[in-house]
Amino acid sequence: MSRFVVKGGKKLFGEIEVQGAKNSALPILSAAVLTRGENIFYNCPRLTDVDACLRILRYLGCDAKVQNGAVLINSDGLCESEIPDSLMREMRSSIVFLGAILARTGCAKLSFPGGCELGPRPIDLHLKALRKMGAKISERHGSLVCKAENGLKGARIDLSFPSVGATENIILAAVLAEGTTTIINAAREPEICDLCEYLNSAGAKIYGFGEGEIVIDGVEELYAVSHNIIPDRIVAATLMSAAAVTKGEVTLRGVIRNHLSSVIPVFEETGCRIRVNEGDLSISAPERLRAMPLVRTMPYPGFPTDAQAPLMAAACVCEGTSVFVENIFENRFKHVGELSRLGADINVQGKVAVVNGVKTLYGAPVEAQDLRGAASLITAALAAEGTTEIGGIEYLERGYEDFEIALGSLGADVRKI
Ligand code: UD1
């Protein structure tokens, strides 16, 4: 188990390239199951979740490797339709393989993802949609057996909530299905659009992504292509928080401004100056941040739940009171107790966290309990006086590529031990 040792108080300064998006990479790599030939994926982040995804692909019989920084996947040899429990547990988002394996082989067997560190993680919307497309699904002893012996059929799917994972699974199931599938109240996240761009370049016919209604005309076959994964907007938001708490001046290279349109105004409200020039976003922080406006997490294009924890670290040292409302996940304030150990003043009631800004945070030993919580603790540690030792770095490594090196290149004093 590795830990980070952070000596706080160093201003972050300089330029940094933003890594590829984890939440794009995972569904796109699983989508490669649907194609013939060798896909090449550029800008795929090097993360433990991506490694787990590649292990699942290899288990299924695909050729999956990393070569010269690109990920190569050829699914011609796919011969399995079951993911063993041990591999499912390695990556919570492995449920995204369900639609792809079912569409490719006509059956899929995997264990139920169950709960996770963010609270219960139901997949009822995924299963309801696949059933509507003709899949027979039985849930027994924690495992799911899905069959579509006569193939999947296009259907109209009304989602009661724009679930990202359910939208992805439906798209993956629908691209090779017979007929047309319409998803009403589909998720609109940029990662959904990236998945659709990849599939369309591989020969799929998907329309309307990025809007609430996605239409998919099933096709006979998909062919391998090369694809560039979009930059990670959550890593960008985390680096912006790190720059803000350290009163720094940082330029992020390779961002897509529109993906950050709900995040940028929050930083501007704190007094940070933000300039965007094509793919470069520069943030310059004031001596003391002002409190943030009400931050309410929402489905895209609203404020992303994944950026809530890293931003809260910045709110801890703002002048005044900031309020966060977490509307997406039930259990997403686990970082609060640990931030308090650093001297933060935060009160949580249900889905609301009230953060009374303090002048100084102080280094202390803390323990991350989830991915974005880990990013939040590191961000706070950068601002704290003294040394903070952060455990639970395995969570961080699911989503942030060589984060200690990235922060170090901007002048932070972070060591991995
Ligand atoms: C994805 C992201 C995650 C992000 C989340 C919300 C990936 C790998 N993960 O997760 O980082 O925080 O979107 O932007 O892309 N729900 C149900 N039934 C379902 C499905 C979801 O009730 O069948 C609920 C969930 O419990 C949760 C909410 O819907 O409260 C949002 O979940 P969803 O959008 O599906 O998130 P994920 O795809 O799991």
Side-chain angles (χ1 to χ4, degrees), residues 22-23 26 92-93 120-126 161-166 168 189 305-306 328-329 332:
K22 168 183 88 85
N23 288 352
L26 302 179
R92 197 209 50 76
S93 350
R121 209 81 181 237
I123 52 164
D124 53 310
L125 301 175
H126 304 232
F161 180 87
S163 154
V164 173
E168 288 165 351
E189 269 68 3
T305 171
D306 287 351
I328 307 294
F329 288 107
R332 217 166 194 187

Side-chain angles (χ1 to χ4, degrees), residues 118-140:
L118 302 182
R121 209 81 181 237
I123 52 164
D124 53 310
L125 301 175
H126 304 232
L127 301 187
K128 196 172 160 199
L130 294 175
R131 283 192 172 111
K132 200 147 183 224
M133 296 177 73
K136 299 264 176 294
I137 304 178
S138 56
E139 302 164 54
R140 240 179 283 128

Side-chain angles (χ1 to χ4, degrees), residues 145-366:
V145 182
C146 310
K147 289 201 172 128
E149 274 147 9
N150 301 320
L152 292 161
K153 309 273 183 292
R156 177 191 157 110
I157 315 282
D158 290 88
L159 288 177
S160 54
F161 180 87
S163 154
V164 173
T167 303
E168 288 165 351
N169 253 329
I170 299 165
I171 292 169
L172 293 170
V175 281
L176 293 178
E178 192 188 317
T180 300
T181 300
T182 307
I183 313 173
I184 314 287
N185 198 23
R188 298 159 66 183
E189 269 68 3
E191 295 76 18
I192 300 270
C193 298
D194 202 19
L195 171 67
C196 293
E197 298 278 6
Y198 160 65
L199 286 166
N200 276 354
S201 67
K205 293 193 171 148
I206 312 172
Y207 312 97
F209 45 90
E211 309 288 331
E213 186 172 321
I214 299 179
V215 177
I216 305 142
D217 286 332
V219 297
E220 297 264 309
E221 268 187 309
L222 295 174
Y223 299 96
V225 287
S226 61
H227 181 80
N228 220 348
I229 295 191
I230 57 169
D232 196 310
R233 61 197 167 101
I234 307 303
V235 171
T238 306
L239 290 168
M240 289 167 79
S241 297
V245 290
T246 61
K247 305 167 190 163
E249 214 174 314
V250 170
T251 297
L252 308 181
R253 294 216 175 282
V255 300
I256 299 176
R257 191 205 186 282
N258 285 352
H259 295 176
L260 291 164
S261 56
S262 61
V263 170
I264 290 172
V266 179
F267 282 100
E268 284 176 333
E269 200 82 18
T270 66
C272 288
R273 230 160 35 94
I274 293 181
R275 275 163 299 140
V276 185
N277 187 4
E278 300 201 342
D280 289 352
L281 181 149
S282 303
I283 176 165
S284 160
E287 269 309 298
R288 180 89 201 266
L289 299 168
R290 291 192 300 263
M292 296 175 182
L294 179 64
V295 176
R296 277 176 297 177
T297 66
M298 305 277 235
Y300 190 84
F303 188 89
T305 171
D306 287 351
Q308 176 257 108
L311 239 86
M312 193 181 287
C316 291
V317 292
C318 284
E319 188 166 11
T321 299
S322 309
V323 178
F324 290 76
V325 183
E326 174 53 59
N327 290 311
I328 307 294
F329 288 107
E330 273 176 35
N331 200 2
R332 217 166 194 187
F333 285 140
K334 282 193 177 163
H335 44 287
V336 165
E338 301 300 294
L339 287 172
S340 304
R341 282 169 158 252
L342 301 177
D345 177 358
I346 309 172
N347 294 302
V348 173
Q349 190 135 48
K351 59 182 194 169
V352 179
V354 178
V355 186
N356 297 309
V358 295
K359 248 194 161 149
T360 319
L361 295 172
Y362 299 94
V366 288

Side-chain angles (χ1 to χ4, degrees), residues 25-35 39 41 44 49-65 71-80 82-84 87 91 94 96-97 100-101 104 198:
L26 302 179
I28 288 177
L29 297 183
S30 63
V33 156
L34 300 170
T35 61
N39 293 275
F41 299 108
C44 186
D49 264 11
V50 168
D51 290 341
C53 198
L54 297 181
R55 273 197 291 280
I56 292 177
L57 287 163
R58 285 184 207 116
Y59 181 87
L60 295 173
C62 306
D63 187 16
K65 56 190 177 219
V71 173
L72 275 51
I73 299 175
N74 185 326
S75 303
D76 291 349
L78 185 132
C79 53
E80 258 297 338
E82 177 176 350
I83 305 180
L87 283 174
M91 184 180 73
S94 44
V96 79
F97 274 97
I101 297 177
R104 168 80 191 259
Y198 160 65

